[in-house]
Amino acid sequence: MPMFQPELETLSRPKLTELQSQRLREQVAYVYERVPFYKQAFDERGVKPGDIRGIEDLHKLPFTKKKDLRDTYPFGLFAVPRHELARIHASSGTTGKPTVVGYTRGDLEVFAEVVARSLAAAGGRPGMMLHNAYGYGLFTGGLGLHGGAEKLGMIVVPISGGMTDRQIMLIQDFKPEMISCTPSYAQTLAEEFKKRGVAPEEISLQYAILGAEPWTEAIRQSVDTGLGVKATNIYGLSEIIGPGVSNEDVNEREGLSYIWEDHFYPEVVDPETGEPLPEGEVGVLVLTTLTKKAMPILRYWTGDLTFITREPGPSGRTHARMAQIRGRTDDMLIVRGVNVYPTQIEAVLKEIPEVAPHYQIVLTREGTMDEVELKLEVSESFFREIGQQLLSDEVIEADHRLAHLREKVSRKIKDNVGISVRVSLINPGSAPRSEGGKLKRVADLRKMS
Ligand code: ADP
Ligand code: K
């Protein structure tokens, strides 16, 4: 697969390390001088910019956490005067104020380049049309993919999220080769095509670049077959730049995404102690920007759980690869003392052909006991096999195939995840769907009950 910046994407490991070290030294001196928050954090730890001679000294630096962005809301971590800014983005932030990030023109250039690399890795080529169904606005997804696609020389359809009927019509009329959106929205679109009797082979799309929320191989399979595409994973976060921190190569698709390491330095640390972990061990991904000017960020605690490997990948790229995100430390559910990530449950479902990767997890508390209900759709083919019944507890009790399936799902979850769940089998199409953006698959009602 042609790369967008082959010379940088295949830089030898020693050259890459040298470049990273040089950039880190510059970035550290830059923030120390320009961002009072960092000067104070360095001074408190007794660290001077000159102590950081290269990447090997990175661990001496303090972490930056989401709280630090909130505490300095809106522009407290910015390193440039206002007139040097070119754009502001902000993350949704479920409670209170959003986290705000800023870009210089140069930062936007880098943003476009890393997204162009990602699109090229995902199968995109100059002259292809990209149906960009990521949300436009303060969210980095829409404009981020847009800038990268233009940089690569693609034709962009800036449709944004939502209005599914119109999306379907425009895909059929414009015949784009590639789509960008959340994986849950790709599932929605696949279902809508199916409802209209459009077969995957009739859909012009060949590639899908999906991210902004955790997803699994089960979802990949449903999108691949539903839209007739090869879907790859794009990862990123606004604090670092937006989407395009890393991307899978369309010819690998083993869940490992190349991190554009000449701009973003990755570490994986122990969630409890913050100590760096050896390659291959799962922990919290910590990222340092090496070239950002408007809002450089050192050792940002993403909260995302993954591992990294520096083993060069088959594509010939030398950059480190990260595994698919297992979940975010904030997504972790503690159920009767057991730590559970929704993706663990989803991974179990992939092994059970009678169910679909459409579900909702509902947590309640009865007295002092946590109760978990998994509302889980049966697959289309199993639904036909059981005679398309309207599913209810009584129907399930009365039909041994359903009762058996329910029992099988809860046993597999108990064995693999370690918690007991009450499985409610539901009809195809009745679990929540993405209407354009990120999908919330967990309803935690425990605080309210
Ligand atoms: P918001 O905070 O509004 O959701 P962001 O785009 O900054 O906005 O969210 C970034 C977060 O989204 C990441 O830290 C990660 O938890 C999640 N995320 C982004 N891309 C992926 C992906 N490909 N797989 C799993 N999670 C992802
Ligand atoms: K197709």
Side-chain angles (χ1 to χ4, degrees), residues 378-396:
V378 298
S379 68
E380 295 274 355
S381 56
F382 187 65
F383 185 54
R384 280 192 298 273
E385 196 181 312
I386 57 164
Q388 311 200 338
Q389 312 178 64
L390 187 62
L391 298 180
S392 66
D393 281 347
E394 296 77 58
V395 169
I396 294 164

Side-chain angles (χ1 to χ4, degrees), residues 91-92 212-214 233-238 304 324-325 328 438:
S91 81
S92 45
E213 63 188 5
N233 186 30
I234 183 165
Y235 167 83
L237 62 166
S238 47
D304 294 324
Q324 175 59 291
I325 301 294
R328 200 160 155 149
K438 305 191 190 206

Side-chain angles (χ1 to χ4, degrees), residues 215-250:
W215 57 306
T216 57
E217 290 302 319
I219 294 184
R220 171 152 35 212
Q221 269 173 24
S222 80
V223 173
D224 274 9
T225 52
L227 292 176
V229 294
K230 282 187 168 172
T232 56
N233 186 30
I234 183 165
Y235 167 83
L237 62 166
S238 47
E239 293 88 335
I240 297 303
I241 202 149
V245 169
S246 72
N247 209 95
E248 266 179 309
D249 184 285
V250 68

Side-chain angles (χ1 to χ4, degrees), residues 200-206 227-229:
E201 316 78 69
E202 296 173 69
I203 305 170
S204 62
L205 297 169
Q206 298 163 27
L227 292 176
V229 294

